[in-house]
């Protein structure tokens, strides 16, 4: 892919590393540039890096009415070698290409997605936030841009990648366990639907549930399947629990659960690296609650790019009753998984081959 660079004049670009004064929140800041590419007449055209800013869309653009959109979320980190390394962005690119056909959208070659992300990280490398626990969050997305009100796939698309220097997704970071609402009222995804795809509509549909969770002091909803039998995942992360007999269990990826790159990494690392066996099973709600009460389940939490490893200290129900996990404290397995995953990401622990992508110095 031949990327065209249409950069800001040097005097308008960041010239020194970003050193945020206060704690950085998640997803608020932007960098100087973004990557864009158009899909017209069946092929991707004009890959380019341009100044970050608004782009124009027809008010009748398909994405604005029928939500023909897919996105990804990944992270890059600055290592002790001073270079920027992105974590498993090939996996995100593969997932975007699994989401695309589900929304009748074109795919983008994995190599091209990786190249686009690395080129943008190269250009905006000074935006890496030098603060504990911070990262450069990477947001690739694609939208249907045709001006058309018929309910049918757009005939044009825009693919964009931008970056966000970010702190932790939950304001207290890893230090304080979160609470999740187990809801029988709201459901995130139905069989045969888009739950396993990363599309904006899933998140729009989960907003009201998220607000209900906040009203009960919870950060997110832990969604059940539509029969309220099985534990699925949270609004922005997969779920896991650890059993007293030493297993870390992630719900089986069905068509109503997003295949998390973080979960896949935990599963691949397994006992050798994490000191706990990692497995996938379908998790019946009844058995899960029983395990919490009896103490057979000792830890729980969420996995995600933004969330990293987020310990859960308690679950709340719509009748406001609560149940604690492991006495509400962060357990040893959760700590170890967090340390190993973030160590690999930040270059303080060896990464399995192919997990890190170094931004080349081109610009
Ligand atoms: N599940 C949902 C619904 C998500 O939004 C996310 C975040 O991307 C995840 C799971 C975790 O996936 P990943 O680890 O690939 O970020
Ligand atoms: C991510 O973890 O990258 C996500 O996309 C989750 C959320 C911010 C929507």
């Amino acid at each position: 892919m031949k990327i065209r660079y249409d950069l800001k004049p040097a005097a308008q670009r960041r010239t020194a590393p970003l050193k945020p004064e206060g704690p950085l929140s998640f997803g608020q800041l932007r960098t100087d540039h973004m990557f864009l590419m158009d899909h017209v007449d069946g092929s991707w055209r004009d890959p380019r890096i341009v100044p970050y800013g608004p782009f124009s869309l027809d008010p009748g653009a398909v994405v604005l009415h029928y939500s023909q959109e897919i996105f990804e979320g990944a992270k890059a980190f600055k290592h002790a070698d001073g270079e920027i390394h992105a974590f498993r962005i090939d996996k995100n690119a593969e997932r975007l290409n699994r989401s695309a056909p589900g929304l009748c959208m074109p795919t983008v070659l994995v190599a091209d997605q990786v190249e686009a992300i690395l080129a943008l990280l190269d250009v905006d490398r000074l935006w890496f936030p030098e603060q504990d626990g911070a990262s450069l969050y990477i947001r690739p997305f694609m939208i249907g841009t045709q001006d058309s009100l018929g309910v049918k796939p757009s005939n044009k698309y825009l693919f964009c990648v931008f970056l966000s220097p970010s702190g932790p997704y939950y304001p207290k970071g890893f230090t304080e366990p979160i609470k999740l609402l187990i809801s029988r009222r709201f459901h995130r995804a139905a069989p045969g639907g888009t739950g396993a795809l990363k599309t904006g509509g899933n998140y729009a549909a989960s907003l009201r549930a998220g607000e209900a969770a906040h009203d009960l002091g919870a950060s997110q909803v832990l969604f059940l399947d539509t029969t309220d039998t099985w534990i699925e995942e949270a609004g922005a992360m997969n779920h896991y629990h650890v059993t007293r007999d030493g297993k870390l269990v992630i719900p089986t990826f069905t068509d109503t659960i997003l295949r998390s790159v973080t979960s896949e990494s935990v599963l691949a690392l397994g006992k050798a690296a994490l000191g706990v066996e990692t497995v996938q099973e379908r998790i019946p709600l009844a058995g899960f609650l029983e395990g919490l009460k009896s103490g057979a389940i000792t830890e729980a939490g969420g996995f995600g790019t933004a969330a990293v490893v987020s310990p859960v200290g308690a679950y709340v129900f719509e009748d406001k009753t609560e149940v604690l996990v492991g006495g509400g404290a962060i357990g040893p397995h959760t700590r170890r998984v967090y340390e190993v995953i973030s160590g690999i990401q930040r270059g303080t622990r060896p990464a399995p081959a192919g997990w890190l992508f170094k931004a080349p110095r081109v610009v």
Side-chain angles (χ1 to χ4, degrees):
M1 184 169 65
K2 176 98 188 83
I3 300 175
R4 175 165 70 82
Y5 288 84
D6 175 14
L7 303 185
K8 281 184 173 178
Q12 290 172 27
R13 285 185 236 158
R14 168 163 288 287
T15 52
L18 174 64
K19 294 193 164 77
E21 279 175 15
L24 203 53
S25 56
F26 173 80
Q28 298 301 313
L29 287 184
R30 302 288 174 265
T31 67
D32 283 324
H33 299 95
M34 61 186 174
F35 173 90
L36 295 177
M37 180 162 76
D38 311 299
H39 195 267
V40 194
D41 297 333
S43 60
W44 287 108
R45 311 247 167 115
D46 196 15
R48 57 200 183 275
I49 291 183
V50 299
Y52 178 86
F55 40 69
S56 68
L57 269 185
D58 288 303
V62 172
V63 62
L64 298 178
H65 302 269
Y66 310 128
S67 300
Q68 200 187 13
E69 189 262 4
I70 53 178
F71 72 100
E72 274 304 321
K75 276 179 177 172
F77 303 85
K78 191 169 173 179
H79 288 193
D81 62 2
E83 301 297 323
I84 304 288
H85 298 257
F87 182 71
R88 306 201 80 182
I89 48 176
D90 56 335
K91 290 281 157 202
N92 292 94
E94 286 168 10
R95 188 170 61 193
L96 184 107
N97 284 347
R98 289 197 301 273
S99 297
L103 275 291
C104 299
M105 298 172 89
T107 54
V108 181
L109 287 176
V110 168
D112 287 352
Q113 293 187 56
V114 168
E115 188 182 341
I117 292 169
L118 294 180
L120 186 61
L121 287 169
D122 177 26
V123 167
D124 281 350
R125 63 176 63 242
L126 288 176
W127 282 93
F128 180 83
E130 303 203 337
Q131 182 172 92
D132 261 8
S135 60
L136 251 183
Y137 184 77
I138 304 162
R139 175 51 63 90
F141 70 100
M142 192 196 299
I143 54 175
T145 52
Q146 185 187 1
D147 188 353
S148 167
L149 292 184
V151 181
K152 58 181 172 44
S154 173
N155 65 8
K156 325 188 269 183
Y157 297 89
L158 180 71
F159 175 76
C160 174
V161 184
F162 66 86
L163 305 174
S164 178
S166 285
Y169 189 66
Y170 299 107
K172 302 240 165 68
F174 185 76
T175 53
E176 207 168 285
I178 56 168
K179 195 186 285 185
L180 294 179
L181 165 65
I182 297 185
S183 174
R184 292 185 174 85
R185 179 167 161 226
F186 298 106
H187 297 90
R188 176 184 171 274
T194 57
L197 314 178
K198 203 155 170 66
T199 177
N202 290 342
Y203 297 80
S206 76
L207 292 174
R208 206 156 68 95
E211 291 304 296
H214 298 159
D215 289 346
L216 289 164
S219 303
Q220 282 186 39
V221 174
L222 173 58
F223 289 101
L224 306 174
D225 77 309
T226 50
T227 68
D228 292 339
T229 308
W230 307 100
I231 286 188
E232 300 220 301
E233 65 170 332
M237 53 189 195
N238 277 175
H239 187 260
Y240 73 88
H241 69 264
V242 181
T243 61
R244 191 170 42 203
D245 57 7
K247 270 200 302 190
L248 186 154
V249 192
I250 298 170
T252 308
F253 298 141
T254 59
D255 74 342
T256 49
I257 295 181
L258 189 76
R259 216 165 106 186
S260 152
V261 176
T262 317
S263 294
E264 289 193 307
S265 303
V266 168
L267 291 164
L269 287 168
K271 190 163 186 176
L274 302 173
V276 62
E277 195 188 339
T278 55
V279 296
Q280 285 196 292
E281 286 168 13
R282 296 208 77 192
I283 315 296
L285 174 66
F288 180 72
L289 296 179
E290 188 47 45
L292 288 179
K293 280 194 197 112
S294 70
I297 291 174
T298 53
E299 301 178 32
F303 291 138
T305 297
V308 197
V309 177
S310 290
V312 171
Y315 299 89
V316 59
F317 298 86
E318 269 132 358
D319 64 5
K320 301 193 178 154
T321 54
E322 291 199 14
V323 46
L324 289 183
V325 196
I330 303 178
H333 293 296
T334 294
R335 273 186 204 285
R336 170 93 179 254
V337 173
Y338 176 76
E339 278 162 20
V340 171
I341 290 283
S342 40
I344 290 172
Q345 292 178 330
R346 292 173 192 279
T348 57
R349 281 176 187 261
W355 279 24
L356 292 170
F357 293 76
K358 182 159 100 176
R361 289 186 178 262
V362 175
V363 174

